[in-house]
Every structure is written in structure tokens, then in C-alpha cells.
Amino acid sequence: MPSFADFDRRNYRTVDVPTGYDGWAATYEQTVMDEMDLALLDRVRLGWSEVRRTADLGCGTGRTGAWLRSRGVTHIDGVDLSAGMLARARTRGAHTTLTQGDVRDSGLASGAYALVISSLIDEHLPDLTPFYAEARRLAVPGATFVLVSYHPQFMMVTGMPTHYTAESGEPLAISTHLHLFSEHVTAGVAAGWQLTQAAEALVDDAWLAAKPKWAELRGHPFTMALVWTLPR
């Protein structure tokens, strides 16, 4: 399988995940656009308000949690590796509980969640298999797993790692891994999930209004949402 290093065009100094997101927490909300993830969630066909309990893996500043609350989800347990991001999520107040931990070993209760959701974090995992397995461990029979990811084509075409600007002004990459669609399918099926929906966000006029330098990327996929279901 190719690695992100084969495509990296920025060659920024790279930091680990907790260091990176602790450093990015203060400005994260100003740099991540709703079109990247929340707009894709709007396209997912799911009875959100009927969900009893949700596990939000890689909950970050609580953007996904707030979106879920606005759709009628009332119990949301969030897990994130970054203390800085969790502090922002606590301020937002969308989650029922917040825990500092690894999305591959969350510490949440087994077989307790009708929905497992994760947004824009799987590129930090060298192997998807433990991640999909942890989502399966958390899920009740018939549960749904919604995963929003950077599209591998976007990462390969742009050579752009997940990155932010430190207080010093230095651009820093956060450890980034490339996962092909086939890797998602292999890991998901191995864990017992069935793929039931998929959606892709393309670079369009709305994107170009915010990022005109991306004109040559018009029409390219940017992010994707995969919806998995656990058999009853």
C-alpha cells in the first residue's frame, strides 16, 4: 500500500497527535469549515433523533457533538486524545461525558451504543483495523457507524498533510497516514460491519469562494462519509 510520505509536498516538521491538537485547539474552529464534515453528515440518511446513545470517537472541540444535539441526539459520550481539544469540548457542553483516551481503546462500555461516529481523525491511525474493531466492540446489534474521512484522492493529489500554524508562525504537520478506500472496506468487513451508504464532498464553488487558490482542484473529491451497519 502507498504511504502518505510518497505524496507529501509540504515536508513540514511533524508532531504527534496529542501535541498537534493541543497546539491547534485554540484556532481549530477558525480553520475547519462545515463543508468538510458537517455538510456530509447532512446527507446521511439516518433517524438521528431516534438514537439513544452515541459514542463520538475523536470528538475534538465538540463540533460533531453539537451537530448531533441539534438533530435530537441526547446522550453523547466523547473520547479524544488531546486535552486541549477536550477543554474546548467541555466549554461547548454538547457531550454527556468526555474522556481522554485513544479511539482504538476508548474505555467506553461494550455493546452500549446505537451510533458510533467519528470525523476527520482516521488519517492519524497507521492501521484502520483496531479502529473499526473498537467501533464494533462499542456497538449494539443493528447499530450504525458513521465515519467522515479525508478522501484518499485528495491527499494523493495535493500532498497535503493535516497541519496547523503554531503560535510561533511555523506550519506543523500532525502525523498523517494515507488510507485507500479498499483499506476501509477490508477493515470494516473484518470487524463485522456492512457498508450501507457512502457520500463524497467535491471541491465546488462554495469551496473556491473560501479558497480560490484551489481552482485547479475543482471537481476533485475532498472528504467522504461511510455509513456502516451492524447486523442484528
Side-chain angles (χ1 to χ4, degrees), residues 2 10 13 16 26 44 52 54 81 83 89 103 105 107 114 116-117 123 125 129 137 143 160 165 168 188 226 232:
R10 301 295 181 92
R13 184 164 67 88
D16 61 31
V44 170
R52 297 293 183 186
T54 297
L81 202 57
V103 298
D105 185 15
V116 181
I117 193 166
E123 79 274 13
L125 305 175
T129 301
R137 183 187 70 80
M160 186 187 303
T165 302
S168 65
L226 303 179
R232 294 185 183 277

mmCIF file of all heavy atoms in Angstrom, residues 2 10 13 16 26 44 52 54 81 83 89 103 105 107 114 116-117 123 125 129 137 143 160 165 168 188 226 232:
data_model
loop_
_atom_site.group_PDB
_atom_site.id
_atom_site.type_symbol
_atom_site.label_atom_id
_atom_site.label_comp_id
_atom_site.label_asym_id
_atom_site.label_seq_id
_atom_site.Cartn_x
_atom_site.Cartn_y
_atom_site.Cartn_z
ATOM 1 N N PRO A 2 0.473 2.312 -0.707
ATOM 2 C CA PRO A 2 1.244 3.552 -0.669
ATOM 3 C C PRO A 2 1.141 4.204 0.707
ATOM 4 O O PRO A 2 0.175 3.986 1.442
ATOM 5 C CB PRO A 2 0.571 4.412 -1.741
ATOM 6 C CG PRO A 2 -0.834 3.899 -1.803
ATOM 7 C CD PRO A 2 -0.733 2.422 -1.548
ATOM 8 N N ARG A 10 4.556 19.133 1.242
ATOM 9 C CA ARG A 10 4.823 20.232 2.168
ATOM 10 C C ARG A 10 6.100 20.013 2.986
ATOM 11 O O ARG A 10 6.807 20.962 3.279
ATOM 12 C CB ARG A 10 3.623 20.415 3.112
ATOM 13 C CG ARG A 10 2.305 20.707 2.402
ATOM 14 C CD ARG A 10 2.324 22.027 1.679
ATOM 15 N NE ARG A 10 1.081 22.346 1.013
ATOM 16 C CZ ARG A 10 0.094 23.046 1.567
ATOM 17 N NH1 ARG A 10 0.205 23.492 2.810
ATOM 18 N NH2 ARG A 10 -1.022 23.287 0.883
ATOM 19 N N ARG A 13 7.686 20.081 9.441
ATOM 20 C CA ARG A 13 8.067 19.335 10.637
ATOM 21 C C ARG A 13 6.804 18.685 11.212
ATOM 22 O O ARG A 13 5.743 19.321 11.261
ATOM 23 C CB ARG A 13 8.713 20.272 11.659
ATOM 24 C CG ARG A 13 9.220 19.561 12.895
ATOM 25 C CD ARG A 13 10.179 20.453 13.671
ATOM 26 N NE ARG A 13 9.514 21.607 14.258
ATOM 27 C CZ ARG A 13 8.936 21.597 15.470
ATOM 28 N NH1 ARG A 13 8.924 20.488 16.198
ATOM 29 N NH2 ARG A 13 8.392 22.705 15.942
ATOM 30 N N ASP A 16 3.413 14.660 16.982
ATOM 31 C CA ASP A 16 2.464 13.584 17.237
ATOM 32 C C ASP A 16 1.064 14.149 17.453
ATOM 33 O O ASP A 16 0.857 15.364 17.533
ATOM 34 C CB ASP A 16 2.909 12.711 18.407
ATOM 35 C CG ASP A 16 3.018 13.465 19.728
ATOM 36 O OD1 ASP A 16 2.257 14.428 19.944
ATOM 37 O OD2 ASP A 16 3.868 13.085 20.560
ATOM 38 N N ALA A 26 -6.796 26.085 20.015
ATOM 39 C CA ALA A 26 -7.272 27.463 20.131
ATOM 40 C C ALA A 26 -7.783 28.026 18.806
ATOM 41 O O ALA A 26 -8.647 28.903 18.786
ATOM 42 C CB ALA A 26 -6.158 28.352 20.685
ATOM 43 N N VAL A 44 -26.400 12.133 5.149
ATOM 44 C CA VAL A 44 -26.568 10.757 5.634
ATOM 45 C C VAL A 44 -28.030 10.511 5.989
ATOM 46 O O VAL A 44 -28.647 11.303 6.708
ATOM 47 C CB VAL A 44 -25.673 10.504 6.863
ATOM 48 C CG1 VAL A 44 -26.010 9.167 7.513
ATOM 49 C CG2 VAL A 44 -24.204 10.530 6.450
ATOM 50 N N ARG A 52 -30.436 6.427 20.790
ATOM 51 C CA ARG A 52 -30.432 6.507 22.246
ATOM 52 C C ARG A 52 -29.080 6.939 22.803
ATOM 53 O O ARG A 52 -28.986 7.857 23.617
ATOM 54 C CB ARG A 52 -30.818 5.142 22.835
ATOM 55 C CG ARG A 52 -32.234 4.689 22.475
ATOM 56 C CD ARG A 52 -33.261 5.570 23.124
ATOM 57 N NE ARG A 52 -34.618 5.118 22.843
ATOM 58 C CZ ARG A 52 -35.712 5.773 23.189
ATOM 59 N NH1 ARG A 52 -35.593 6.930 23.829
ATOM 60 N NH2 ARG A 52 -36.908 5.298 22.902
ATOM 61 N N THR A 54 -24.792 7.559 21.826
ATOM 62 C CA THR A 54 -23.782 7.734 20.778
ATOM 63 C C THR A 54 -22.392 7.783 21.388
ATOM 64 O O THR A 54 -22.169 8.433 22.410
ATOM 65 C CB THR A 54 -24.042 9.042 19.995
ATOM 66 O OG1 THR A 54 -25.295 8.952 19.332
ATOM 67 C CG2 THR A 54 -22.939 9.292 18.976
ATOM 68 N N LEU A 81 -7.876 12.181 22.288
ATOM 69 C CA LEU A 81 -6.524 12.028 22.829
ATOM 70 C C LEU A 81 -5.951 13.348 23.325
ATOM 71 O O LEU A 81 -5.014 13.359 24.123
ATOM 72 C CB LEU A 81 -5.620 11.440 21.734
ATOM 73 C CG LEU A 81 -4.339 10.723 22.148
ATOM 74 C CD1 LEU A 81 -4.629 9.578 23.106
ATOM 75 C CD2 LEU A 81 -3.628 10.187 20.901
ATOM 76 N N ALA A 83 -5.930 16.798 25.358
ATOM 77 C CA ALA A 83 -6.510 17.518 26.492
ATOM 78 C C ALA A 83 -6.989 18.905 26.068
ATOM 79 O O ALA A 83 -8.016 19.398 26.551
ATOM 80 C CB ALA A 83 -5.482 17.635 27.619
ATOM 81 N N ALA A 89 -14.229 21.219 24.077
ATOM 82 C CA ALA A 89 -15.489 20.478 24.030
ATOM 83 C C ALA A 89 -16.276 20.664 25.323
ATOM 84 O O ALA A 89 -17.518 20.776 25.299
ATOM 85 C CB ALA A 89 -15.218 19.001 23.776
ATOM 86 N N VAL A 103 -8.909 6.339 20.416
ATOM 87 C CA VAL A 103 -10.106 5.855 19.732
ATOM 88 C C VAL A 103 -10.056 4.356 19.452
ATOM 89 O O VAL A 103 -11.076 3.738 19.171
ATOM 90 C CB VAL A 103 -10.345 6.620 18.413
ATOM 91 C CG1 VAL A 103 -10.577 8.094 18.693
ATOM 92 C CG2 VAL A 103 -9.191 6.420 17.438
ATOM 93 N N ASP A 105 -8.966 2.218 21.702
ATOM 94 C CA ASP A 105 -9.150 1.580 23.009
ATOM 95 C C ASP A 105 -9.787 2.624 23.908
ATOM 96 O O ASP A 105 -9.157 3.159 24.816
ATOM 97 C CB ASP A 105 -7.802 1.103 23.556
ATOM 98 C CG ASP A 105 -7.935 0.317 24.849
ATOM 99 O OD1 ASP A 105 -9.064 -0.102 25.189
ATOM 100 O OD2 ASP A 105 -6.914 0.142 25.536
ATOM 101 N N GLY A 107 -12.164 2.794 26.213
ATOM 102 C CA GLY A 107 -12.561 2.629 27.598
ATOM 103 C C GLY A 107 -14.056 2.748 27.820
ATOM 104 O O GLY A 107 -14.530 2.578 28.947
ATOM 105 N N ALA A 114 -25.951 2.740 20.056
ATOM 106 C CA ALA A 114 -26.689 2.561 18.805
ATOM 107 C C ALA A 114 -26.010 3.295 17.654
ATOM 108 O O ALA A 114 -26.266 2.991 16.489
ATOM 109 C CB ALA A 114 -28.124 3.057 18.962
ATOM 110 N N VAL A 116 -22.061 4.906 16.582
ATOM 111 C CA VAL A 116 -20.660 5.277 16.769
ATOM 112 C C VAL A 116 -20.327 6.224 15.627
ATOM 113 O O VAL A 116 -20.662 5.955 14.466
ATOM 114 C CB VAL A 116 -19.732 4.052 16.745
ATOM 115 C CG1 VAL A 116 -18.287 4.471 16.975
ATOM 116 C CG2 VAL A 116 -20.168 3.019 17.796
ATOM 117 N N ILE A 117 -19.694 7.339 15.947
ATOM 118 C CA ILE A 117 -19.422 8.342 14.920
ATOM 119 C C ILE A 117 -18.008 8.875 15.103
ATOM 120 O O ILE A 117 -17.500 8.957 16.223
ATOM 121 C CB ILE A 117 -20.466 9.488 14.977
ATOM 122 C CG1 ILE A 117 -20.396 10.366 13.723
ATOM 123 C CG2 ILE A 117 -20.342 10.301 16.257
ATOM 124 C CD1 ILE A 117 -21.603 11.286 13.555
ATOM 125 N N GLU A 123 -7.019 9.576 9.591
ATOM 126 C CA GLU A 123 -5.736 9.755 8.896
ATOM 127 C C GLU A 123 -4.560 9.769 9.873
ATOM 128 O O GLU A 123 -3.404 9.730 9.456
ATOM 129 C CB GLU A 123 -5.736 11.034 8.054
ATOM 130 C CG GLU A 123 -5.509 12.326 8.805
ATOM 131 C CD GLU A 123 -6.776 12.922 9.378
ATOM 132 O OE1 GLU A 123 -7.815 12.214 9.420
ATOM 133 O OE2 GLU A 123 -6.746 14.100 9.799
ATOM 134 N N LEU A 125 -4.212 7.368 12.117
ATOM 135 C CA LEU A 125 -4.035 5.985 12.553
ATOM 136 C C LEU A 125 -3.223 5.219 11.513
ATOM 137 O O LEU A 125 -3.595 5.187 10.338
ATOM 138 C CB LEU A 125 -5.394 5.305 12.729
ATOM 139 C CG LEU A 125 -6.375 6.020 13.671
ATOM 140 C CD1 LEU A 125 -7.722 5.307 13.655
ATOM 141 C CD2 LEU A 125 -5.814 6.088 15.086
ATOM 142 N N THR A 129 -7.568 -1.291 11.209
ATOM 143 C CA THR A 129 -8.197 -2.490 11.760
ATOM 144 C C THR A 129 -8.603 -2.342 13.224
ATOM 145 O O THR A 129 -9.755 -2.636 13.587
ATOM 146 C CB THR A 129 -7.276 -3.714 11.572
ATOM 147 O OG1 THR A 129 -7.027 -3.890 10.174
ATOM 148 C CG2 THR A 129 -7.913 -4.969 12.140
ATOM 149 N N ARG A 137 -16.881 -3.165 18.942
ATOM 150 C CA ARG A 137 -16.999 -3.542 20.352
ATOM 151 C C ARG A 137 -18.028 -2.672 21.073
ATOM 152 O O ARG A 137 -18.777 -3.148 21.936
ATOM 153 C CB ARG A 137 -15.636 -3.403 21.051
ATOM 154 C CG ARG A 137 -15.646 -3.854 22.508
ATOM 155 C CD ARG A 137 -14.340 -3.554 23.200
ATOM 156 N NE ARG A 137 -14.115 -2.130 23.416
ATOM 157 C CZ ARG A 137 -14.668 -1.415 24.408
ATOM 158 N NH1 ARG A 137 -15.516 -1.985 25.253
ATOM 159 N NH2 ARG A 137 -14.377 -0.137 24.527
ATOM 160 N N ALA A 143 -26.579 -1.492 15.212
ATOM 161 C CA ALA A 143 -26.034 -0.140 15.341
ATOM 162 C C ALA A 143 -25.482 0.375 14.019
ATOM 163 O O ALA A 143 -25.263 -0.379 13.062
ATOM 164 C CB ALA A 143 -24.929 -0.122 16.402
ATOM 165 N N MET A 160 -1.021 17.105 0.798
ATOM 166 C CA MET A 160 -1.212 17.998 1.935
ATOM 167 C C MET A 160 -1.485 17.200 3.210
ATOM 168 O O MET A 160 -2.496 16.505 3.302
ATOM 169 C CB MET A 160 -2.387 18.947 1.673
ATOM 170 C CG MET A 160 -2.589 20.016 2.735
ATOM 171 S SD MET A 160 -4.109 20.961 2.447
ATOM 172 C CE MET A 160 -3.823 21.588 0.794
ATOM 173 N N THR A 165 -0.933 26.066 12.068
ATOM 174 C CA THR A 165 0.127 27.042 12.273
ATOM 175 C C THR A 165 0.333 27.249 13.768
ATOM 176 O O THR A 165 -0.607 27.635 14.482
ATOM 177 C CB THR A 165 -0.211 28.385 11.601
ATOM 178 O OG1 THR A 165 -0.433 28.159 10.202
ATOM 179 C CG2 THR A 165 0.926 29.382 11.786
ATOM 180 N N SER A 168 4.254 30.228 17.027
ATOM 181 C CA SER A 168 5.496 30.803 16.512
ATOM 182 C C SER A 168 5.396 31.213 15.050
ATOM 183 O O SER A 168 6.271 31.905 14.527
ATOM 184 C CB SER A 168 6.629 29.785 16.656
ATOM 185 O OG SER A 168 6.373 28.651 15.833
ATOM 186 N N GLY A 188 -13.460 -2.688 7.787
ATOM 187 C CA GLY A 188 -14.855 -2.691 8.207
ATOM 188 C C GLY A 188 -15.489 -4.061 8.130
ATOM 189 O O GLY A 188 -16.150 -4.522 9.070
ATOM 190 N N LEU A 226 -18.655 7.402 5.134
ATOM 191 C CA LEU A 226 -19.014 5.995 5.007
ATOM 192 C C LEU A 226 -19.951 5.647 6.145
ATOM 193 O O LEU A 226 -19.691 5.985 7.306
ATOM 194 C CB LEU A 226 -17.776 5.103 5.062
ATOM 195 C CG LEU A 226 -16.684 5.387 4.033
ATOM 196 C CD1 LEU A 226 -15.504 4.434 4.231
ATOM 197 C CD2 LEU A 226 -17.230 5.265 2.609
ATOM 198 N N ARG A 232 -28.269 -7.341 13.007
ATOM 199 C CA ARG A 232 -28.940 -7.648 14.283
ATOM 200 C C ARG A 232 -28.752 -9.099 14.656
ATOM 201 O O ARG A 232 -28.575 -9.927 13.819
ATOM 202 C CB ARG A 232 -30.441 -7.329 14.163
ATOM 203 C CG ARG A 232 -30.714 -5.837 13.978
ATOM 204 C CD ARG A 232 -32.193 -5.556 13.985
ATOM 205 N NE ARG A 232 -32.449 -4.141 13.749
ATOM 206 C CZ ARG A 232 -32.401 -3.212 14.715
ATOM 207 N NH1 ARG A 232 -32.137 -3.569 15.974
ATOM 208 N NH2 ARG A 232 -32.630 -1.934 14.441
#
